[in-house]
Amino acid sequence: MIESKNSLGVPKNLELIYSGEDYFSRLEAIIRNSQFEIHMQMYLFENDTTGNRIIKALKEAASRKVQVYVLLDGLGSLSFPSETLKEMRQSGINIRFFAPLFSTYTFYLGRRLHRKVIVADAKIVLIGGINIADKYCGSGSEAPWLDYAVQLKGEIAEPLQKLCTDIYFKKRRFQNKKIKSFFPIQENAMVRILQNDWLKGKNEICDGYIKSIRNAKTEIIIVGSYFLPGIRIIRALKKASKNQVKIKLILSGKSDLPLTRRATCFLYGKLLKYNIELYEWNQSILHGKVAVIDGNWTTIGSFNLNNLSSYGSLEMNVEINSALFSKMFQEHLIKIIAQCQNITPQSLKIKTNLFTKSINFLSYFITRIIEIIITYTPYKRFNN
């Protein structure tokens, strides 16, 4: 389905990582090779075969006196067993939940920790959209969910580790802290950490998407799980289309959230009118959140093109300015497109009728209402 290795010789300090064994073997190796300190911040951590595999590696690291800090989202990892939590703490792992769904005298649904980042010894980093669960690892009979991450080595890891430390220990300075610098990875390649946390004034990922789409000259390829962009993104795509930029969207043919997929289908007619090429991935669940623009600019991370990521969650992406890396990733995405179903005005007309149109509209309406409620809840709480 997808390659297991980077075939164009991109240096080892900048590597594209695929969901499946590629990601989890690297994660396990990073944990086992750590010497001093590990930070893991994750939305979803399941107590399944893959989760237990990573827990075992974390326990072994703690037994070597490595300081291990795990921060899980209170909603995404709500089902994490209390007994497992107790065992991890007894083994020396520092673990807590971000914004627990239930706490003393309160129920909190809003602002979530949606980023997926691991930093070890302030030297090596994994950032992407991949959670820790069997469905992202796959099996002999079932393909992993389609998703991506980036492995980075070098000086970029130090400020990121400080950022993770600040948020784990609830230090106030993390609230407005941004990693503004571009870091050189190799000759003619620069990377930057982008964050989105609208309540704290961090809109770097959303703004980066809009700026790059507006300035696109030739081609835009976006992989969009849960694709429900706000009006600013829609306008940017429309402008790019008018400028004769080729736009390809790789969307979910199968989804773990059928309501959201139906809501996305409601947008198909409008997107096709803008001459945007639509492709549905049906080989597995699509969970990736990436883009390649003009064969030079790439972003990979946890940020979905919808209002929940824009206004409700803590997100983290890597921005990569490298023609070599972007070309490699672009070639991979072209292979993914070749395995997708192309949605055209003709095929859309055949597969939709009054009933499906009504269902899609209703799904879109309900999803937008849910987004408004969820994003308004933390906004109101923050301002009170």
Side-chain angles (χ1 to χ4, degrees):
M1 181 181 67
I2 54 179
E3 310 96 308
S4 62
K5 289 188 179 181
N6 170 344
S7 60
L8 291 184
V10 176
K12 293 296 184 181
N13 50 0
L14 169 60
E15 294 187 82
L16 174 65
I17 311 300
Y18 307 108
S19 54
E21 186 59 27
D22 185 32
Y23 178 83
F24 289 100
S25 61
R26 288 172 184 271
L27 173 56
E28 197 171 29
I30 287 172
I31 295 170
R32 295 193 188 283
N33 293 330
S34 62
Q35 297 179 327
F36 308 108
E37 188 170 340
I38 298 170
H39 280 271
M40 175 181 290
Q41 297 186 358
M42 197 67 53
Y43 177 73
L44 173 67
F45 196 132
E46 292 194 351
N47 187 45
D48 53 18
T49 301
T50 301
N52 287 326
R53 171 183 173 183
I54 301 305
I55 290 171
K56 180 181 178 182
L58 290 172
K59 286 180 177 179
E60 289 176 353
S63 71
R64 303 194 311 270
K65 306 303 180 183
V66 175
Q67 294 296 311
V68 180
Y69 300 94
V70 178
L71 182 63
L72 305 179
D73 183 71
L75 176 61
S77 297
L78 180 63
S79 63
F80 199 81
S82 57
E83 186 62 33
T84 303
L85 191 68
K86 181 180 178 181
E87 290 175 1
M88 292 175 70
R89 286 172 173 158
Q90 289 176 341
S91 69
I93 296 171
N94 302 284
I95 181 169
R96 74 173 185 87
F97 291 92
F98 179 90
L101 190 61
F102 299 99
S103 57
T104 308
Y105 309 117
T106 188
F107 168 76
Y108 183 52
L109 186 63
R111 182 166 169 261
R112 309 293 358 148
L113 179 83
H114 194 243
R115 59 180 59 168
K116 294 90 176 173
V117 55
I118 295 92
V119 189
D121 296 338
K123 292 181 179 180
I124 185 168
V125 177
L126 274 180
I127 299 177
I130 304 170
N131 290 293
I132 296 176
D134 284 347
K135 51 197 173 189
Y136 297 90
C137 188
S139 64
S141 60
E142 190 170 349
W145 287 16
L146 183 63
D147 210 339
Y148 304 93
V150 176
Q151 180 175 294
L152 303 169
K153 294 180 181 178
E155 59 181 316
I156 193 172
E158 186 173 348
L160 187 54
Q161 180 163 303
K162 290 179 181 178
L163 185 70
C164 289
T165 300
D166 287 350
I167 189 172
Y168 184 88
F169 289 103
K170 303 181 182 181
K171 295 182 180 179
R172 288 186 176 272
R173 65 184 182 184
F174 102 84
Q175 297 177 357
N176 298 310
K177 190 171 183 180
K178 300 179 181 181
I179 303 176
K180 297 182 179 180
S181 301
F182 281 93
F183 292 85
I185 291 294
Q186 62 165 8
E187 186 179 358
N188 298 321
M190 304 287 286
V191 297
R192 184 163 64 124
I193 301 299
L194 300 180
Q195 300 177 73
N196 234 80
D197 184 4
W198 183 73
L199 287 177
K200 305 299 183 183
K202 300 173 187 172
N203 306 301
E204 299 162 12
I205 307 175
C206 186
D207 290 346
Y209 261 104
I210 292 169
K211 180 181 178 181
S212 298
I213 292 171
R214 285 176 176 170
N215 294 333
K217 303 298 182 185
T218 56
E219 186 178 54
I220 297 169
I221 303 178
I222 294 174
V223 178
S225 58
Y226 319 123
F227 184 80
L228 281 172
I231 189 64
R232 294 173 66 207
I233 298 275
I234 290 289
R235 286 174 177 171
L237 289 170
K238 183 178 180 180
K239 178 185 177 183
S241 177
K242 286 184 176 180
N243 292 336
Q244 306 302 311
V245 176
K246 292 183 179 179
I247 304 173
K248 298 179 173 69
L249 299 183
I250 304 172
L251 306 173
S252 300
K254 298 194 296 185
S255 177
D256 60 317
L257 298 176
L259 185 70
T260 303
R261 183 185 177 277
R262 283 287 186 180
T264 300
C265 290
F266 175 73
L267 298 176
Y268 280 8
K270 177 186 290 188
L271 295 170
L272 288 170
K273 286 180 181 179
Y274 297 157
N275 296 316
I276 294 173
E277 299 176 29
L278 303 181
Y279 301 93
E280 285 187 345
W281 172 259
N282 292 290
Q283 307 293 327
S284 61
I285 300 292
L286 175 69
H287 195 258
K289 315 100 167 35
V290 306
V292 179
I293 297 179
D294 290 344
N296 188 64
W297 183 89
T298 301
T299 187
I300 299 173
S302 66
F303 184 86
N304 289 303
L305 289 172
N306 60 39
N307 286 341
L308 291 181
S309 281
S310 296
Y311 303 112
S313 302
L314 280 73
E315 309 281 2
M316 184 172 288
N317 273 40
V318 179
E319 178 184 294
I320 304 164
N321 291 289
S322 166
L324 181 62
F325 184 91
S326 294
K327 179 182 179 183
M328 177 201 67
F329 198 17
Q330 187 177 35
E331 290 179 353
H332 164 76
L333 293 178
I334 294 300
K335 293 178 182 179
I336 291 295
I337 286 174
Q339 302 175 62
C340 290
Q341 178 185 0
N342 183 203
I343 306 298
T344 65
Q346 293 75 26
S347 66
L348 183 64
K349 186 176 181 179
I350 293 171
K351 69 186 293 188
T352 56
N353 52 41
L354 181 60
F355 177 74
T356 55
K357 287 180 180 179
S358 299
I359 293 296
N360 292 346
F361 169 76
L362 185 61
S363 299
Y364 181 82
F365 178 77
I366 293 172
T367 303
R368 284 300 194 197
I369 293 298
I370 293 172
E371 285 184 338
I372 290 170
I373 293 171
I374 293 177
T375 55
Y376 176 73
T377 300
Y379 174 80
K380 182 178 179 181
R381 177 171 175 168
F382 179 74
N383 282 280
N384 287 338

